[in-house]
Amino acid sequence: MDQPKLERLLRLMKLLTANSYLTVENIAEKLGITTRSVYRYIDTFRSAGFVIKKKNGCIRLDKSSPYFKDISELIHFTEEEAYILKSAIESIDENNILKQNLKKKLYTVYDYKILAETIVNGRHSKNVRHLVQAMEERRTVILKKYASSHGNNIRDRRVEAFAFTTNYEQVWCYCLEDSDVKLFRASRIGEVEVLQEPWQHEAAHQSGYIDIFRMHSNVKMRVILKMGLRSSSLLMEEFPLASKQMKRISDNEWMLDTEVCSYEGVGRFVLGLPGDILIIDSPELVQYIATQVEKIKDSL
C-alpha cells in the first residue's frame, strides 16, 4: 500500500474512533478526497473485520470491532494526557528544532478543539472553539466587541478566520471590511459569532510575517542593536525566538540583527532598558525613540 493511502486510512481511523458521528461528505472534506474514495476505505475496514455503524446518515467504527479499545487508546489522548504532553513539549528549549515538530504532531493527532482547552485561558477557550469550528467549516465569523490597540476603539469585525499563531494567542483573518489579511489577538475578542456565510476569499488566506517582538505587517525593517547582559537576557526570556538572531560578542555583550515589522515592539523594549541597549543601525528607530521620549515628557 502506498504511503499517502496508508496515511489517509490512519486519519480515517482516527476520525471514526472519535466520540462523534460524521457524514461521508464531512469525512471526504476533512481528508481532501472524494466520497467514492471514502466508501472504498470503509469497505477496506469492513474486510478487515471492523463493524461500521450508521446513524442519521453519519458513520463511525463500532466499539464491538476487534481491537477497537486498543486502537482508540493508541491514537487518542485524554485531556490530562494532552496537558502533560503539551507541558513537557513547552519545557523544551526554544532553540530545539524538534519542539515545533512535536507540537505540530500533537495538534494533528489530537482533537484540535479539546487541545485548545489545555492551552488557552479558560476565559478565551469558548471563542477559540468557535473559531476552530468556523475554520473547519470554512464559515465567516463576527469578532464581537473587538478591542483594537491601534484604533483605541471597541467594535465588531466581520472576518474569515483561517489560522492561529502559536498557542492560539492570535488568529489570522481576512478582514471583509478592509479587504486585507490581518492578525487579531484572541484575548481582545469579546465573543465569536459563527455565521452561515461561507468563505469567499480563500485564495487570499495567506499568513503574514511576525517579527520576534510579535508585531506584524507587510513591511520588514532591519534593526541592529548592541545589548548588555541584562537586556539580552530579558530579551531571550520574553521573546525566545530572538535567540536565533543574536550573536555573542563578549561575556557581557550581544548583538541583535533582525527585521521588524514596526518600531512599536522593539521601541517599547529599548525604552524599558535605558543605558543597556545601543542602536547600531536604524536611524528610523532612533527617531521613533526620540518621539516617544518627547511624548513622555509632555505627559509629565
Side-chain angles (χ1 to χ4, degrees), residues 26-56:
N26 291 152
I27 294 169
E29 184 178 354
K30 287 178 180 292
L31 298 182
I33 59 177
T34 64
T35 55
R36 186 181 226 174
S37 295
V38 174
Y39 283 118
R40 282 203 305 268
Y41 289 154
I42 290 173
D43 287 339
T44 299
F45 284 132
R46 282 199 179 101
S47 299
F50 289 95
V51 179
I52 307 295
K53 269 202 170 182
K54 194 169 184 179
K55 179 181 179 182
N56 297 327

PDB file of all heavy atoms in Angstrom, residues 26-56:
ATOM      1  N   ASN A  26     -18.610  14.915   5.188  1.00  0.00           N
ATOM      2  CA  ASN A  26     -17.712  15.538   6.172  1.00  0.00           C
ATOM      3  C   ASN A  26     -16.330  14.915   6.091  1.00  0.00           C
ATOM      4  O   ASN A  26     -15.305  15.620   6.076  1.00  0.00           O
ATOM      5  CB  ASN A  26     -18.243  15.340   7.589  1.00  0.00           C
ATOM      6  CG  ASN A  26     -19.508  16.109   7.879  1.00  0.00           C
ATOM      7  OD1 ASN A  26     -20.317  15.703   8.711  1.00  0.00           O
ATOM      8  ND2 ASN A  26     -19.709  17.234   7.200  1.00  0.00           N
ATOM      9  N   ILE A  27     -16.299  13.576   6.061  1.00  0.00           N
ATOM     10  CA  ILE A  27     -15.028  12.846   6.035  1.00  0.00           C
ATOM     11  C   ILE A  27     -14.245  13.166   4.772  1.00  0.00           C
ATOM     12  O   ILE A  27     -13.031  13.402   4.814  1.00  0.00           O
ATOM     13  CB  ILE A  27     -15.285  11.332   6.151  1.00  0.00           C
ATOM     14  CG1 ILE A  27     -15.878  10.998   7.523  1.00  0.00           C
ATOM     15  CG2 ILE A  27     -14.000  10.542   5.917  1.00  0.00           C
ATOM     16  CD1 ILE A  27     -16.400   9.589   7.638  1.00  0.00           C
ATOM     17  N   ALA A  28     -14.942  13.170   3.636  1.00  0.00           N
ATOM     18  CA  ALA A  28     -14.279  13.457   2.359  1.00  0.00           C
ATOM     19  C   ALA A  28     -13.630  14.836   2.380  1.00  0.00           C
ATOM     20  O   ALA A  28     -12.497  15.017   1.920  1.00  0.00           O
ATOM     21  CB  ALA A  28     -15.296  13.356   1.223  1.00  0.00           C
ATOM     22  N   GLU A  29     -14.344  15.820   2.977  1.00  0.00           N
ATOM     23  CA  GLU A  29     -13.797  17.179   3.048  1.00  0.00           C
ATOM     24  C   GLU A  29     -12.587  17.245   3.959  1.00  0.00           C
ATOM     25  O   GLU A  29     -11.575  17.882   3.628  1.00  0.00           O
ATOM     26  CB  GLU A  29     -14.882  18.135   3.556  1.00  0.00           C
ATOM     27  CG  GLU A  29     -14.442  19.593   3.565  1.00  0.00           C
ATOM     28  CD  GLU A  29     -15.545  20.528   4.029  1.00  0.00           C
ATOM     29  OE1 GLU A  29     -16.687  20.062   4.233  1.00  0.00           O
ATOM     30  OE2 GLU A  29     -15.248  21.727   4.193  1.00  0.00           O
ATOM     31  N   LYS A  30     -12.655  16.588   5.122  1.00  0.00           N
ATOM     32  CA  LYS A  30     -11.543  16.609   6.076  1.00  0.00           C
ATOM     33  C   LYS A  30     -10.298  15.927   5.512  1.00  0.00           C
ATOM     34  O   LYS A  30      -9.168  16.340   5.795  1.00  0.00           O
ATOM     35  CB  LYS A  30     -11.960  15.934   7.387  1.00  0.00           C
ATOM     36  CG  LYS A  30     -12.924  16.755   8.240  1.00  0.00           C
ATOM     37  CD  LYS A  30     -13.319  16.015   9.489  1.00  0.00           C
ATOM     38  CE  LYS A  30     -14.279  16.841  10.346  1.00  0.00           C
ATOM     39  NZ  LYS A  30     -13.642  18.027  10.937  1.00  0.00           N
ATOM     40  N   LEU A  31     -10.489  14.849   4.720  1.00  0.00           N
ATOM     41  CA  LEU A  31      -9.353  14.101   4.182  1.00  0.00           C
ATOM     42  C   LEU A  31      -8.918  14.606   2.810  1.00  0.00           C
ATOM     43  O   LEU A  31      -7.884  14.185   2.298  1.00  0.00           O
ATOM     44  CB  LEU A  31      -9.692  12.605   4.094  1.00  0.00           C
ATOM     45  CG  LEU A  31     -10.007  11.896   5.418  1.00  0.00           C
ATOM     46  CD1 LEU A  31     -10.266  10.411   5.163  1.00  0.00           C
ATOM     47  CD2 LEU A  31      -8.862  12.052   6.409  1.00  0.00           C
ATOM     48  N   GLY A  32      -9.728  15.481   2.218  1.00  0.00           N
ATOM     49  CA  GLY A  32      -9.393  16.011   0.902  1.00  0.00           C
ATOM     50  C   GLY A  32      -9.508  14.974  -0.202  1.00  0.00           C
ATOM     51  O   GLY A  32      -8.700  14.968  -1.140  1.00  0.00           O
ATOM     52  N   ILE A  33     -10.500  14.083  -0.082  1.00  0.00           N
ATOM     53  CA  ILE A  33     -10.713  13.027  -1.079  1.00  0.00           C
ATOM     54  C   ILE A  33     -12.177  13.018  -1.496  1.00  0.00           C
ATOM     55  O   ILE A  33     -12.998  13.762  -0.949  1.00  0.00           O
ATOM     56  CB  ILE A  33     -10.317  11.636  -0.528  1.00  0.00           C
ATOM     57  CG1 ILE A  33     -11.147  11.299   0.727  1.00  0.00           C
ATOM     58  CG2 ILE A  33      -8.831  11.581  -0.206  1.00  0.00           C
ATOM     59  CD1 ILE A  33     -10.871   9.924   1.293  1.00  0.00           C
ATOM     60  N   THR A  34     -12.529  12.158  -2.465  1.00  0.00           N
ATOM     61  CA  THR A  34     -13.912  12.072  -2.923  1.00  0.00           C
ATOM     62  C   THR A  34     -14.714  11.158  -2.006  1.00  0.00           C
ATOM     63  O   THR A  34     -14.157  10.338  -1.279  1.00  0.00           O
ATOM     64  CB  THR A  34     -13.967  11.505  -4.354  1.00  0.00           C
ATOM     65  OG1 THR A  34     -13.465  10.160  -4.340  1.00  0.00           O
ATOM     66  CG2 THR A  34     -13.132  12.353  -5.302  1.00  0.00           C
ATOM     67  N   THR A  35     -16.034  11.310  -2.054  1.00  0.00           N
ATOM     68  CA  THR A  35     -16.900  10.427  -1.256  1.00  0.00           C
ATOM     69  C   THR A  35     -16.751   8.982  -1.718  1.00  0.00           C
ATOM     70  O   THR A  35     -16.858   8.064  -0.911  1.00  0.00           O
ATOM     71  CB  THR A  35     -18.370  10.864  -1.386  1.00  0.00           C
ATOM     72  OG1 THR A  35     -18.742  10.921  -2.768  1.00  0.00           O
ATOM     73  CG2 THR A  35     -18.583  12.246  -0.755  1.00  0.00           C
ATOM     74  N   ARG A  36     -16.489   8.803  -2.998  1.00  0.00           N
ATOM     75  CA  ARG A  36     -16.289   7.447  -3.533  1.00  0.00           C
ATOM     76  C   ARG A  36     -15.094   6.779  -2.857  1.00  0.00           C
ATOM     77  O   ARG A  36     -15.142   5.599  -2.492  1.00  0.00           O
ATOM     78  CB  ARG A  36     -16.071   7.526  -5.043  1.00  0.00           C
ATOM     79  CG  ARG A  36     -16.002   6.183  -5.733  1.00  0.00           C
ATOM     80  CD  ARG A  36     -15.764   6.382  -7.215  1.00  0.00           C
ATOM     81  NE  ARG A  36     -16.653   5.555  -7.983  1.00  0.00           N
ATOM     82  CZ  ARG A  36     -16.753   5.608  -9.294  1.00  0.00           C
ATOM     83  NH1 ARG A  36     -16.048   6.495  -9.952  1.00  0.00           N
ATOM     84  NH2 ARG A  36     -17.567   4.813  -9.943  1.00  0.00           N
ATOM     85  N   SER A  37     -14.010   7.556  -2.677  1.00  0.00           N
ATOM     86  CA  SER A  37     -12.817   7.020  -2.010  1.00  0.00           C
ATOM     87  C   SER A  37     -13.116   6.668  -0.555  1.00  0.00           C
ATOM     88  O   SER A  37     -12.622   5.673  -0.028  1.00  0.00           O
ATOM     89  CB  SER A  37     -11.666   8.033  -2.067  1.00  0.00           C
ATOM     90  OG  SER A  37     -11.257   8.254  -3.397  1.00  0.00           O
ATOM     91  N   VAL A  38     -13.934   7.499   0.108  1.00  0.00           N
ATOM     92  CA  VAL A  38     -14.309   7.220   1.497  1.00  0.00           C
ATOM     93  C   VAL A  38     -15.005   5.868   1.593  1.00  0.00           C
ATOM     94  O   VAL A  38     -14.692   5.050   2.467  1.00  0.00           O
ATOM     95  CB  VAL A  38     -15.233   8.328   2.063  1.00  0.00           C
ATOM     96  CG1 VAL A  38     -15.735   7.943   3.461  1.00  0.00           C
ATOM     97  CG2 VAL A  38     -14.496   9.660   2.134  1.00  0.00           C
ATOM     98  N   TYR A  39     -15.946   5.634   0.688  1.00  0.00           N
ATOM     99  CA  TYR A  39     -16.660   4.351   0.694  1.00  0.00           C
ATOM    100  C   TYR A  39     -15.705   3.177   0.461  1.00  0.00           C
ATOM    101  O   TYR A  39     -15.844   2.116   1.074  1.00  0.00           O
ATOM    102  CB  TYR A  39     -17.759   4.348  -0.367  1.00  0.00           C
ATOM    103  CG  TYR A  39     -18.993   5.121   0.034  1.00  0.00           C
ATOM    104  CD1 TYR A  39     -19.401   6.239  -0.692  1.00  0.00           C
ATOM    105  CD2 TYR A  39     -19.745   4.731   1.137  1.00  0.00           C
ATOM    106  CE1 TYR A  39     -20.541   6.951  -0.331  1.00  0.00           C
ATOM    107  CE2 TYR A  39     -20.887   5.439   1.513  1.00  0.00           C
ATOM    108  CZ  TYR A  39     -21.272   6.549   0.775  1.00  0.00           C
ATOM    109  OH  TYR A  39     -22.397   7.244   1.150  1.00  0.00           O
ATOM    110  N   ARG A  40     -14.704   3.385  -0.403  1.00  0.00           N
ATOM    111  CA  ARG A  40     -13.719   2.318  -0.657  1.00  0.00           C
ATOM    112  C   ARG A  40     -12.918   2.012   0.601  1.00  0.00           C
ATOM    113  O   ARG A  40     -12.668   0.849   0.931  1.00  0.00           O
ATOM    114  CB  ARG A  40     -12.771   2.710  -1.800  1.00  0.00           C
ATOM    115  CG  ARG A  40     -13.358   2.555  -3.189  1.00  0.00           C
ATOM    116  CD  ARG A  40     -12.267   2.408  -4.245  1.00  0.00           C
ATOM    117  NE  ARG A  40     -11.321   3.511  -4.203  1.00  0.00           N
ATOM    118  CZ  ARG A  40     -11.443   4.621  -4.924  1.00  0.00           C
ATOM    119  NH1 ARG A  40     -12.481   4.764  -5.741  1.00  0.00           N
ATOM    120  NH2 ARG A  40     -10.553   5.579  -4.856  1.00  0.00           N
ATOM    121  N   TYR A  41     -12.509   3.076   1.323  1.00  0.00           N
ATOM    122  CA  TYR A  41     -11.747   2.874   2.558  1.00  0.00           C
ATOM    123  C   TYR A  41     -12.599   2.180   3.623  1.00  0.00           C
ATOM    124  O   TYR A  41     -12.114   1.332   4.378  1.00  0.00           O
ATOM    125  CB  TYR A  41     -11.240   4.225   3.090  1.00  0.00           C
ATOM    126  CG  TYR A  41     -10.129   4.842   2.259  1.00  0.00           C
ATOM    127  CD1 TYR A  41      -9.925   6.219   2.250  1.00  0.00           C
ATOM    128  CD2 TYR A  41      -9.299   4.046   1.477  1.00  0.00           C
ATOM    129  CE1 TYR A  41      -8.916   6.792   1.495  1.00  0.00           C
ATOM    130  CE2 TYR A  41      -8.294   4.614   0.712  1.00  0.00           C
ATOM    131  CZ  TYR A  41      -8.107   5.980   0.719  1.00  0.00           C
ATOM    132  OH  TYR A  41      -7.097   6.539  -0.020  1.00  0.00           O
ATOM    133  N   ILE A  42     -13.878   2.566   3.686  1.00  0.00           N
ATOM    134  CA  ILE A  42     -14.774   1.923   4.649  1.00  0.00           C
ATOM    135  C   ILE A  42     -14.918   0.435   4.328  1.00  0.00           C
ATOM    136  O   ILE A  42     -14.939  -0.415   5.245  1.00  0.00           O
ATOM    137  CB  ILE A  42     -16.149   2.630   4.649  1.00  0.00           C
ATOM    138  CG1 ILE A  42     -16.010   4.029   5.282  1.00  0.00           C
ATOM    139  CG2 ILE A  42     -17.195   1.807   5.418  1.00  0.00           C
ATOM    140  CD1 ILE A  42     -17.248   4.876   5.176  1.00  0.00           C
ATOM    141  N   ASP A  43     -15.007   0.115   3.047  1.00  0.00           N
ATOM    142  CA  ASP A  43     -15.058  -1.300   2.646  1.00  0.00           C
ATOM    143  C   ASP A  43     -13.786  -2.035   3.066  1.00  0.00           C
ATOM    144  O   ASP A  43     -13.831  -3.215   3.440  1.00  0.00           O
ATOM    145  CB  ASP A  43     -15.249  -1.417   1.128  1.00  0.00           C
ATOM    146  CG  ASP A  43     -16.661  -1.059   0.700  1.00  0.00           C
ATOM    147  OD1 ASP A  43     -17.566  -1.119   1.563  1.00  0.00           O
ATOM    148  OD2 ASP A  43     -16.852  -0.727  -0.485  1.00  0.00           O
ATOM    149  N   THR A  44     -12.651  -1.335   3.025  1.00  0.00           N
ATOM    150  CA  THR A  44     -11.384  -1.936   3.454  1.00  0.00           C
ATOM    151  C   THR A  44     -11.448  -2.273   4.939  1.00  0.00           C
ATOM    152  O   THR A  44     -11.006  -3.346   5.363  1.00  0.00           O
ATOM    153  CB  THR A  44     -10.211  -0.952   3.203  1.00  0.00           C
ATOM    154  OG1 THR A  44     -10.133  -0.668   1.811  1.00  0.00           O
ATOM    155  CG2 THR A  44      -8.889  -1.562   3.667  1.00  0.00           C
ATOM    156  N   PHE A  45     -12.008  -1.362   5.743  1.00  0.00           N
ATOM    157  CA  PHE A  45     -12.168  -1.632   7.172  1.00  0.00           C
ATOM    158  C   PHE A  45     -13.103  -2.823   7.403  1.00  0.00           C
ATOM    159  O   PHE A  45     -12.840  -3.670   8.249  1.00  0.00           O
ATOM    160  CB  PHE A  45     -12.719  -0.392   7.897  1.00  0.00           C
ATOM    161  CG  PHE A  45     -11.702   0.694   8.126  1.00  0.00           C
ATOM    162  CD1 PHE A  45     -11.978   2.011   7.808  1.00  0.00           C
ATOM    163  CD2 PHE A  45     -10.455   0.392   8.668  1.00  0.00           C
ATOM    164  CE1 PHE A  45     -11.037   3.013   8.022  1.00  0.00           C
ATOM    165  CE2 PHE A  45      -9.507   1.374   8.892  1.00  0.00           C
ATOM    166  CZ  PHE A  45      -9.798   2.690   8.568  1.00  0.00           C
ATOM    167  N   ARG A  46     -14.205  -2.871   6.656  1.00  0.00           N
ATOM    168  CA  ARG A  46     -15.141  -3.984   6.809  1.00  0.00           C
ATOM    169  C   ARG A  46     -14.461  -5.311   6.489  1.00  0.00           C
ATOM    170  O   ARG A  46     -14.660  -6.311   7.187  1.00  0.00           O
ATOM    171  CB  ARG A  46     -16.347  -3.784   5.883  1.00  0.00           C
ATOM    172  CG  ARG A  46     -17.364  -2.772   6.395  1.00  0.00           C
ATOM    173  CD  ARG A  46     -18.705  -2.957   5.712  1.00  0.00           C
ATOM    174  NE  ARG A  46     -19.702  -2.009   6.201  1.00  0.00           N
ATOM    175  CZ  ARG A  46     -20.064  -0.909   5.558  1.00  0.00           C
ATOM    176  NH1 ARG A  46     -19.505  -0.617   4.398  1.00  0.00           N
ATOM    177  NH2 ARG A  46     -20.986  -0.116   6.069  1.00  0.00           N
ATOM    178  N   SER A  47     -13.648  -5.296   5.425  1.00  0.00           N
ATOM    179  CA  SER A  47     -12.941  -6.522   5.031  1.00  0.00           C
ATOM    180  C   SER A  47     -11.976  -6.984   6.114  1.00  0.00           C
ATOM    181  O   SER A  47     -11.683  -8.170   6.240  1.00  0.00           O
ATOM    182  CB  SER A  47     -12.169  -6.288   3.722  1.00  0.00           C
ATOM    183  OG  SER A  47     -13.048  -5.946   2.673  1.00  0.00           O
ATOM    184  N   ALA A  48     -11.473  -6.011   6.915  1.00  0.00           N
ATOM    185  CA  ALA A  48     -10.538  -6.337   7.986  1.00  0.00           C
ATOM    186  C   ALA A  48     -11.259  -6.755   9.265  1.00  0.00           C
ATOM    187  O   ALA A  48     -10.621  -7.037  10.282  1.00  0.00           O
ATOM    188  CB  ALA A  48      -9.633  -5.143   8.268  1.00  0.00           C
ATOM    189  N   GLY A  49     -12.614  -6.778   9.229  1.00  0.00           N
ATOM    190  CA  GLY A  49     -13.385  -7.239  10.381  1.00  0.00           C
ATOM    191  C   GLY A  49     -13.963  -6.156  11.250  1.00  0.00           C
ATOM    192  O   GLY A  49     -14.584  -6.451  12.282  1.00  0.00           O
ATOM    193  N   PHE A  50     -13.780  -4.880  10.870  1.00  0.00           N
ATOM    194  CA  PHE A  50     -14.343  -3.797  11.670  1.00  0.00           C
ATOM    195  C   PHE A  50     -15.849  -3.689  11.442  1.00  0.00           C
ATOM    196  O   PHE A  50     -16.340  -3.936  10.337  1.00  0.00           O
ATOM    197  CB  PHE A  50     -13.676  -2.459  11.327  1.00  0.00           C
ATOM    198  CG  PHE A  50     -12.262  -2.343  11.808  1.00  0.00           C
ATOM    199  CD1 PHE A  50     -11.197  -2.637  10.973  1.00  0.00           C
ATOM    200  CD2 PHE A  50     -11.998  -1.945  13.108  1.00  0.00           C
ATOM    201  CE1 PHE A  50      -9.897  -2.536  11.425  1.00  0.00           C
ATOM    202  CE2 PHE A  50     -10.690  -1.835  13.567  1.00  0.00           C
ATOM    203  CZ  PHE A  50      -9.637  -2.140  12.724  1.00  0.00           C
ATOM    204  N   VAL A  51     -16.564  -3.290  12.493  1.00  0.00           N
ATOM    205  CA  VAL A  51     -18.008  -3.105  12.407  1.00  0.00           C
ATOM    206  C   VAL A  51     -18.297  -1.620  12.206  1.00  0.00           C
ATOM    207  O   VAL A  51     -17.900  -0.787  13.020  1.00  0.00           O
ATOM    208  CB  VAL A  51     -18.710  -3.612  13.684  1.00  0.00           C
ATOM    209  CG1 VAL A  51     -20.223  -3.376  13.586  1.00  0.00           C
ATOM    210  CG2 VAL A  51     -18.415  -5.083  13.905  1.00  0.00           C
ATOM    211  N   ILE A  52     -18.963  -1.279  11.106  1.00  0.00           N
ATOM    212  CA  ILE A  52     -19.283   0.115  10.796  1.00  0.00           C
ATOM    213  C   ILE A  52     -20.732   0.388  11.153  1.00  0.00           C
ATOM    214  O   ILE A  52     -21.644  -0.310  10.699  1.00  0.00           O
ATOM    215  CB  ILE A  52     -19.069   0.412   9.297  1.00  0.00           C
ATOM    216  CG1 ILE A  52     -17.669   0.005   8.841  1.00  0.00           C
ATOM    217  CG2 ILE A  52     -19.329   1.889   9.019  1.00  0.00           C
ATOM    218  CD1 ILE A  52     -16.558   0.785   9.487  1.00  0.00           C
ATOM    219  N   LYS A  53     -20.967   1.380  11.997  1.00  0.00           N
ATOM    220  CA  LYS A  53     -22.326   1.746  12.396  1.00  0.00           C
ATOM    221  C   LYS A  53     -22.748   3.023  11.678  1.00  0.00           C
ATOM    222  O   LYS A  53     -21.941   3.932  11.480  1.00  0.00           O
ATOM    223  CB  LYS A  53     -22.408   1.946  13.911  1.00  0.00           C
ATOM    224  CG  LYS A  53     -22.788   0.689  14.680  1.00  0.00           C
ATOM    225  CD  LYS A  53     -23.359   1.048  16.033  1.00  0.00           C
ATOM    226  CE  LYS A  53     -23.961  -0.187  16.695  1.00  0.00           C
ATOM    227  NZ  LYS A  53     -24.569   0.132  18.009  1.00  0.00           N
ATOM    228  N   LYS A  54     -24.021   3.073  11.319  1.00  0.00           N
ATOM    229  CA  LYS A  54     -24.556   4.250  10.650  1.00  0.00           C
ATOM    230  C   LYS A  54     -25.756   4.763  11.436  1.00  0.00           C
ATOM    231  O   LYS A  54     -26.616   3.987  11.855  1.00  0.00           O
ATOM    232  CB  LYS A  54     -24.980   3.895   9.227  1.00  0.00           C
ATOM    233  CG  LYS A  54     -25.243   5.105   8.345  1.00  0.00           C
ATOM    234  CD  LYS A  54     -25.384   4.696   6.898  1.00  0.00           C
ATOM    235  CE  LYS A  54     -25.544   5.925   6.007  1.00  0.00           C
ATOM    236  NZ  LYS A  54     -25.662   5.568   4.577  1.00  0.00           N
ATOM    237  N   LYS A  55     -25.807   6.083  11.673  1.00  0.00           N
ATOM    238  CA  LYS A  55     -26.892   6.683  12.441  1.00  0.00           C
ATOM    239  C   LYS A  55     -27.178   8.078  11.898  1.00  0.00           C
ATOM    240  O   LYS A  55     -26.301   8.940  11.875  1.00  0.00           O
ATOM    241  CB  LYS A  55     -26.494   6.764  13.921  1.00  0.00           C
ATOM    242  CG  LYS A  55     -27.559   7.400  14.812  1.00  0.00           C
ATOM    243  CD  LYS A  55     -27.058   7.461  16.251  1.00  0.00           C
ATOM    244  CE  LYS A  55     -28.086   8.121  17.158  1.00  0.00           C
ATOM    245  NZ  LYS A  55     -27.589   8.228  18.556  1.00  0.00           N
ATOM    246  N   ASN A  56     -28.413   8.275  11.439  1.00  0.00           N
ATOM    247  CA  ASN A  56     -28.839   9.570  10.885  1.00  0.00           C
ATOM    248  C   ASN A  56     -27.897  10.057   9.779  1.00  0.00           C
ATOM    249  O   ASN A  56     -27.540  11.234   9.713  1.00  0.00           O
ATOM    250  CB  ASN A  56     -28.919  10.625  11.998  1.00  0.00           C
ATOM    251  CG  ASN A  56     -29.949  10.282  13.050  1.00  0.00           C
ATOM    252  OD1 ASN A  56     -30.980   9.677  12.742  1.00  0.00           O
ATOM    253  ND2 ASN A  56     -29.668  10.647  14.298  1.00  0.00           N
TER     254      ASN A  56
END
